[in-house]
Amino acid sequence: MNSTLLACVSSPIVILAIAIAGNTLTSNSTIAESNVGETKQTEYIPQVAFRKAPRLVDIYTTFNTVRMRSATYYFDVTIPEDAGAPLHKVAIELRQGQEEIYYKLEKTVAYLGDHRRKGDKLALETVSIDESTGIITVEFTEPLPPDTTFTIGLKPRRNPDYDGIYVFGVTVFPQGENPYGLYLGSRSLTFYSGYDGFFGY
C-alpha cells in the first residue's frame, strides 16, 4: 500500500485511540477525586474505652422470697484508679431465669459505696428499658470518675413467682461521643419459695 495512503488511514485511528484513552483517564480521575471527596466528608470518631476494666463486685437482694413486693436488687461496681475514663452509664440484663422480672424504673436509685455502706446519693439522668431485649440502662447525670465504688438499686414490682437462680449481666460505658461498652460478667440471685432463705441470697 502507498505509504502516503497508509499514513492517511492510520492518523484517524491514532487520533481516535488517543481520544478514547484521554476520556478513560479523565473518567478515572473524576472517580478518584469523587472518592477522595467522599472520604473527606466521612468524619472518623474514635471509640472511647476504659484503659483498665471496672469490676462487678456483687449483686444483692434485700429479700429473696418469691413474690416479695418490697425487695431491692443492688449492683455493686468499682471503677479502678487507672480506668482511664469516667463511667457514664450502666446496662443491666437478666440473662437467665425462669421468668421475666418487671421493675418500677422511677424508683431506681444509686449511691456512692456498696450496698452495705451506702454513701451520698447519685443523680440519675435517665433510667430506661429496651422493650425488645429487657435491658435496663441507667445513665448518670455526672459521669463517675476513676477510683469510685458505687451501687445501683433496682426496684422490682415484685420478686419472681418461680424460685431458682436468676443470672444478671452488667455492661458499663465510659464517657465520650462513641463509647465502647464493656461487659463485666454476671452474678446471680437465688429466690426461694419458702422463708428458709429470707435473709440470704
Side-chain angles (χ1 to χ4, degrees):
M1 182 182 292
N2 186 291
S3 59
T4 302
L5 179 60
L6 180 61
C8 292
V9 173
S10 300
S11 295
I13 296 175
V14 172
I15 292 170
L16 179 61
I18 291 172
I20 293 173
N23 288 338
T24 302
L25 290 173
T26 302
S27 176
N28 290 339
S29 177
T30 302
I31 292 172
E33 288 174 2
S34 175
N35 289 339
V36 169
E38 290 175 3
T39 303
K40 288 180 180 178
Q41 292 173 3
T42 304
E43 183 182 359
Y44 172 70
I45 303 175
Q47 277 199 308
V48 179
F50 292 108
R51 184 181 304 124
K52 186 173 182 180
R55 185 165 63 95
L56 175 60
V57 179
D58 197 7
I59 297 180
Y60 173 80
T61 178
T62 53
F63 297 103
N64 57 9
T65 304
V66 295
R67 294 182 290 279
M68 177 67 70
R69 292 185 179 275
S70 55
T72 301
Y73 307 159
Y74 286 103
F75 299 79
D76 298 344
V77 176
T78 292
I79 311 169
E81 186 176 359
D82 52 352
L87 185 148
H88 185 48
K89 61 183 178 180
V90 177
I92 300 171
E93 175 188 13
L94 178 63
R95 300 175 68 88
Q96 178 184 322
Q98 283 76 359
E99 64 179 285
E100 189 173 355
I101 300 176
Y102 299 94
Y103 298 90
K104 300 176 182 179
L105 295 185
E106 72 281 2
K107 299 289 187 180
T108 302
V109 292
Y111 300 91
L112 289 175
D114 58 27
H115 71 274
R116 293 182 179 86
R117 296 172 294 276
K118 293 189 286 291
D120 293 338
K121 192 173 183 179
L122 297 170
L124 301 178
E125 183 70 20
T126 59
V127 180
S128 60
I129 185 168
D130 185 324
E131 297 294 344
S132 62
T133 63
I135 296 176
I136 295 173
T137 300
V138 179
E139 185 175 343
F140 295 97
T141 302
E142 296 291 336
L144 305 181
D147 196 22
T148 298
T149 295
F150 68 94
T151 187
I152 293 173
L154 294 182
K155 183 73 173 175
R157 295 180 186 174
R158 68 179 187 179
N159 283 348
D161 292 330
Y162 298 100
D163 59 10
I165 297 173
Y166 288 72
V167 179
F168 296 82
V170 174
T171 301
V172 294
F173 297 82
Q175 179 186 21
E177 187 176 353
N178 188 19
Y180 175 79
L182 181 64
Y183 181 63
L184 302 186
S186 63
R187 295 285 189 279
S188 64
L189 297 176
T190 302
F191 297 98
Y192 300 90
S193 57
Y195 287 88
D196 293 341
F198 190 80
F199 294 105
Y201 76 99

